């Protein structure tokens, strides 16, 4: 089974030969691999199942207000990206578009945290117009990845803290759910077969049913320190695929033996029946010991095979 087949099988809630996996390394970890004398790509070296498509995004020109700078890749740039995707597919790899800030996050970038939270009260009509302009831009930027042929388009918004949502479910449903749904419908209009991964750090349990209803296939991050992963699998595991779940703040800061045990336990909980892509719940930075990066990959090698992952 190829990596691409393995990933798509998991998203369809079926068991492959083993659980697909990846890890997003920070620059320090890539440099450490180089220091070990390894010249090949980090993901190639460790046999990851997913590769990412990165499209270049120019910086805001000097003197141009951020809210007026909404660049979109040209047709020529998308054509070059499509060649890169085709090359990954020829190697049997699954391809995911790069993550770009979502509607809520970009509103904060343009107007600031306070203005974004107060916008629905201070100027509802103006705030709605702002979100609609961002949504239209996101349709074009995320859409460029879909046009390039990625298997997974990676959208999202950071809607959770480690304890709770950043807004009430009612606020999400009024202001952001309709725009997320509009965005997903647009992407599926470009390619009905594209899978949609929604990134959200922190605690997002109260909104998972909403995400399922608007067409999200994959919840990415699945921060184990902020949510009960066993409860997620039990309640939502038939309806959405989980990607992440290995605690970057907890499991990956233990001893190598604790990392192996934590990865095995996460696989045991999340992998049965498919619907799981194993990964740390965030990009790993230089405070994660190198020995633990190795232990994560060793645990995947030793415990990710079906029919009894984690054992």
């Amino acid at each position: 089974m190829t990596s691409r087949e393995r990933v798509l099988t998991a998203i369809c809630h079926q068991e492959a030969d083993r659980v697909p996996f990846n890890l997003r390394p920070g620059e320090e970890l890539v440099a450490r691999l180089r220091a070990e004398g390894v010249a090949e790509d980090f993901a190639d070296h460790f046999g990851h199942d997913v590769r990412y498509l990165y499209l270049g995004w120019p910086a805001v020109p000097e003197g141009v207000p951020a809210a007026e700078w909404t660049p979109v890749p040209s047709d020529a740039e998308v054509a070059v990206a499509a060649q890169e995707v085709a090359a990954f597919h020829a190697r049997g790899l699954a391809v995911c578009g790069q993550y770009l800030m979502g509607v809520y996050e970009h509103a904060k970038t343009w107007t600031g945290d306070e203005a974004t939270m107060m916008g629905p009260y201070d100027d509802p009509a103006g705030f709605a117009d702002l979100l609609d302009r961002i949504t239209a831009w996101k349709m074009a930027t995320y859409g460029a990845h879909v046009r390039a042929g990625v298997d997974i388009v990676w959208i999202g918004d950071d809607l959770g803290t480690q304890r709770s949502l950043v807004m009430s479910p009612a606020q999400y449903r009024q202001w952001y759910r309709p725009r997320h749904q509009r965005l997903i419908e647009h992407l599926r209009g470009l390619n009905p077969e594209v899978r949609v991964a929604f990134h959200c750090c922190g605690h997002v349990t109260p909104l998972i049913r909403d995400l399922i209803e608007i067409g999200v296939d994959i919840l990415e991050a699945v921060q184990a320190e902020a949510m009960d992963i066993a409860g997620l699998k039990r309640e939502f595991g038939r309806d959405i695929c989980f990607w992440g779940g290995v605690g970057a703040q907890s499991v990956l800061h233990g001893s190598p033996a604790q990392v192996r045990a934590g990865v095995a336990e996460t696989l045991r909980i999340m992998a049965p029946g498919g619907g799981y892509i194993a990964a740390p719940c965030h990009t790993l930075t230089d405070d994660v010991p190198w020995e633990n990066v190795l232990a994560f990959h060793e645990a995947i090698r030793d415990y990710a095979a079906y029919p009894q992952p984690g054992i």
Side-chain angles (χ1 to χ4, degrees), residues 13 19 27 39-40 68 80 87 172 184 189 191 200 207 209 236 254 258:
H13 301 273
V19 179
E27 293 180 3
E40 68 179 328
E68 295 178 11
V80 171
Y172 172 75
I184 292 170
N191 177 8
C200 183
L207 299 182
R209 185 57 60 189
F236 306 108
Q258 289 170 325

Side-chain angles (χ1 to χ4, degrees), residues 83-275:
Q83 294 176 351
E84 183 178 351
V85 172
F88 282 133
H89 283 167
R91 295 172 55 197
L93 297 167
V95 184
C96 178
Q98 73 192 99
Y99 179 69
L100 305 169
M101 285 188 292
V103 179
Y104 167 69
E105 290 181 57
H106 227 112
K108 292 197 300 177
T109 298
W110 280 2
T111 69
D113 289 10
E114 182 177 349
T116 299
M117 300 309 292
M118 295 304 297
Y121 307 99
D122 292 340
D123 181 13
F127 188 66
D129 178 69
L130 173 77
L131 296 186
D132 287 341
R133 288 196 293 119
I134 294 173
T135 301
W137 180 32
K138 296 302 170 184
M139 287 179 179
T141 54
Y142 288 128
H145 293 87
V146 178
R147 290 166 54 210
V150 298
D151 301 294
I152 304 167
V153 60
W154 193 12
I155 73 171
D157 264 318
D158 277 341
L159 302 169
T161 70
Q162 299 229 147
R163 290 184 166 186
S164 65
L165 297 173
V166 299
M167 64 186 74
S168 71
Q171 287 174 311
Y172 172 75
R173 289 163 189 153
Q174 179 178 359
W175 293 98
Y176 296 99
R177 172 174 162 152
R179 293 170 173 89
H180 286 152
Q181 183 168 359
R182 191 186 315 159
L183 173 57
I184 292 170
E185 289 172 351
H186 171 73
L187 300 177
R188 289 260 164 71
L190 296 174
N191 177 8
E193 299 302 317
V194 75
R195 278 68 172 184
V196 178
F198 191 98
H199 166 81
C200 183
C201 293
H203 178 80
V204 73
T205 305
L207 299 182
I208 292 177
R209 185 57 60 189
D210 291 89
L211 299 179
I212 293 168
E213 290 174 357
I214 65 175
V216 170
D217 298 294
I218 308 161
L219 177 63
E220 188 276 328
V222 192
Q223 192 173 350
E225 296 88 355
M227 295 186 288
D228 171 16
I229 62 172
L232 296 184
K233 183 69 174 183
R234 185 171 55 250
E235 185 172 357
F236 306 108
R238 292 182 297 274
D239 302 316
I240 196 167
C241 178
F242 295 110
W243 184 0
V246 177
Q249 296 172 321
S250 52
V251 169
L252 286 159
H253 283 275
S255 67
Q258 289 170 325
V259 172
R260 286 174 55 86
V263 171
E265 178 65 5
T266 304
L267 290 168
R268 186 190 66 78
I269 292 169
M270 300 296 280

Side-chain angles (χ1 to χ4, degrees), residues 37-49:
V38 178
E40 68 179 328
D41 178 77
F42 191 101
D44 287 344
H45 178 72
F46 287 109
H48 296 178
D49 291 298

